[in-house]
Amino acid sequence: MSVYKAVEKKWKRVKTNAILDERGERIEEAIHVIDPHALTMEQSTWIRKVDECIVVGDAKCVIYAITLPETKSCNGFYILVGALDACTQRDLAEKCLIEYAEAPHTTNLHPLNQQIDKIWMKATSRRQNEPDPMNKLHWAALGYHYNWTLRAYPEEQGSHIPELLQKLGEACANAVGFEITSEAALVNYYKANSTMGGHQDNVEITFDHPVVSFSIGSDAIFLKGGLTKDEVPIEILLRSGDVVVMGGESRLCFHGIAKTMPNNCIPAFPKELPNCNVLYHNIQEYVCSNRLNINVRQVFPTKSDQESDRKRHKSS
Ligand SMILES: O=C(O)CCC(=O)C(=O)O
Ligand SMILES: [Fe+2]
């Protein structure tokens, strides 16, 4: 079994929803976890704070470059801690639930001809004994919709990338020195026990631009491995509002979600807000037991990338 798989298995066995026990001490399985809010002395020796910035609203965030301890190379993997301000988190949660899962975007239910229109409205207005349609929703695709059967991106964009995602993607990528034109976005809907197996994001036509990934709602244990599953992955606790940028050498690293950890207390989603309505209450309840992830990617090379490639080839 690969070491990556062994770490995934370890998290499958963890039944608690926090890395700390009742006494406030780390559970044994979590001793290596990087909690960006509480780095250990040892972690501070290899996790570099590269900058502080404001990506959106008034959220001042710290940027850490997280490199694998074995290689110690700075390989383009960054976490922007709390980069999304509370308003943006609430706005994105609402959009994931009532806009991004609707046509013209597609979802995992679409290829099965089971796409459910107004899924969030149906879920929240159903009778108590009726099944929750949200249980069937795993992902939504925006922009260029990757075709998993043909294993290819289509020539035409299936839907637009919302301006907010374009802007956030660009701001986060620029904050760590990368550029991105978001052409495809994926929204992942995680339930309390959902995981995402280790994989590489390797279906785009270019890998010269980073994947920018936004976390909203419940906490998660994110695993970031190397270029093979034989490298020990680092384990990172991601919270609502955190942004991960995987560019440069880390663009093709194995990664995934080993555990989703529902938490009752998410600062951006208090139980009551001034003037809050039923929609907010439903969203607040949802994010406390589920996690949303939105990630944006550039699929095709930028014209200037192609130009510089051509020049490189000519001169070599
Ligand atoms: O949920 C996450 O943070 C990671 C999602 C991911 O890796 C993907 O959609 O490819
Ligand atoms: Fe991924």
Side-chain angles (χ1 to χ4, degrees):
M1 191 198 314
S2 67
V3 283
Y4 189 103
K5 186 101 208 138
V7 175
E8 286 181 322
K9 273 192 116 170
K10 172 188 79 174
W11 284 102
K12 282 248 153 71
R13 290 192 300 267
V14 174
K15 296 290 172 247
T16 53
N17 281 326
I19 61 165
L20 302 178
D21 62 19
E22 324 65 70
R23 289 170 302 155
E25 276 165 34
R26 286 266 175 123
I27 56 168
E28 197 188 321
E29 293 85 350
I31 45 175
H32 296 302
V33 168
I34 296 167
D35 175 353
H37 288 270
L39 294 186
T40 63
M41 295 279 266
E42 189 271 333
Q43 287 166 348
S44 314
T45 63
W46 55 274
I47 298 174
R48 284 185 309 123
K49 177 177 162 183
V50 286
D51 208 350
E52 278 184 3
C53 72
I54 292 183
V55 169
V56 59
D58 56 359
K60 191 164 178 199
C61 74
V62 172
I63 305 176
Y64 287 115
I66 303 184
T67 59
L68 287 172
E70 287 75 31
T71 53
K72 296 261 192 318
S73 64
C74 178
N75 55 6
F77 183 87
Y78 298 93
I79 168 160
L80 284 59
V81 187
L84 305 176
D85 66 319
C87 257
T88 305
Q89 290 177 52
R90 294 195 287 266
D91 190 17
L92 285 174
E94 183 175 327
K95 289 189 159 79
C96 287
L97 298 168
I98 66 176
E99 183 185 323
Y100 301 162
E102 300 293 327
H105 311 303
T106 58
T107 71
N108 59 294
L109 299 167
H110 185 85
L112 313 166
N113 269 334
Q114 290 174 2
Q115 181 112 352
I116 304 171
D117 292 338
K118 301 199 172 62
I119 188 166
W120 177 251
M121 204 263 287
K122 284 180 181 145
T124 50
S125 58
R126 75 191 199 281
R127 279 190 248 279
Q128 243 179 4
N129 55 354
E130 285 173 353
D132 184 351
M134 287 301 289
N135 288 337
K136 295 197 214 162
L137 181 64
H138 302 305
W139 53 259
L142 293 69
Y144 285 89
H145 306 161
Y146 186 71
N147 185 322
W148 289 98
T149 317
L150 301 175
R151 300 200 70 74
Y153 275 103
E155 281 183 14
E156 300 268 309
Q157 231 182 3
S159 61
H160 66 286
I161 297 280
E163 207 179 302
L164 176 62
L165 297 186
Q166 297 266 16
K167 280 199 173 142
L168 290 174
E170 202 178 346
C172 294
N174 291 170
V176 294
F178 293 125
E179 309 243 326
I180 187 172
T181 302
S182 300
E183 294 170 325
L186 201 61
V187 182
N188 294 302
Y189 301 82
Y190 293 90
K191 281 149 235 5
N193 289 315
S194 300
T195 57
M196 181 178 282
H199 65 279
Q200 294 169 294
D201 290 352
N202 59 3
V203 297
E204 290 69 39
I205 313 299
T206 177
F207 303 124
D208 288 347
H209 304 270
V211 172
V212 181
S213 180
F214 310 104
S215 286
I216 297 154
S218 293
D219 293 350
I221 298 293
F222 181 95
L223 300 187
K224 188 256 180 212
L227 290 173
T228 72
K229 284 195 172 181
D230 296 321
E231 249 177 83
V232 184
I234 48 179
E235 303 155 281
I236 306 166
L237 175 64
L238 290 182
R239 292 182 175 83
S240 194
D242 291 347
V243 179
V244 162
V245 179
M246 295 204 308
E249 288 169 45
S250 79
R251 177 61 179 76
L252 290 171
C253 279
F254 277 91
H255 62 278
I257 294 293
K259 191 165 172 63
T260 306
M261 301 192 293
N263 48 339
N264 288 323
C265 183
I266 304 174
F269 297 90
K271 272 221 149 35
E272 296 291 336
L273 271 181
N275 307 323
C276 63
N277 53 19
V278 182
L279 174 63
Y280 174 73
H281 279 288
N282 288 332
I283 293 174
Q284 195 269 345
E285 209 169 284
Y286 179 88
V287 294
C288 286
S289 38
N290 299 273
R291 174 173 181 265
L292 297 163
N293 165 262
I294 309 170
N295 57 74
V296 294
R297 301 128 194 258
Q298 175 159 345
V299 179
F300 301 102
T302 318
K303 273 219 170 72
S304 60
D305 296 346
Q306 287 169 314
E307 292 287 304
S308 53
D309 265 4
R310 250 199 304 276
K311 280 193 192 131
R312 249 202 315 270
H313 283 304
K314 255 192 185 161
S315 62
S316 60

